[in-house]
Amino acid sequence: MTATSLIAARVRTGGPQDDGPQIVEHVMGWVLVAVVAMLVTRLGLL
């Protein structure tokens, strides 16, 4: 193997193929939506 192929095999960029706790991502997404909604209403932007 060349150095480039070794580095390419090691480097992970993330993305949909990563395995992980999907419920955490789902909950954090809804928390972000709630925080943005609170900011919008508190600042009177709505």
Side-chain angles (χ1 to χ4, degrees), residues 7-27:
I7 291 172
R10 252 188 324 156
V11 174
R12 297 196 57 173
T13 59
Q17 59 269 43
D18 284 344
D19 292 331
Q22 294 178 354
I23 187 71
V24 174
E25 292 180 15
H26 190 76
V27 169

Side-chain angles (χ1 to χ4, degrees), residues 26-41:
H26 190 76
V27 169
M28 291 306 293
W30 279 108
V31 168
L32 179 63
V33 167
V35 168
V36 170
M38 285 190 298
L39 284 174
V40 166
T41 54

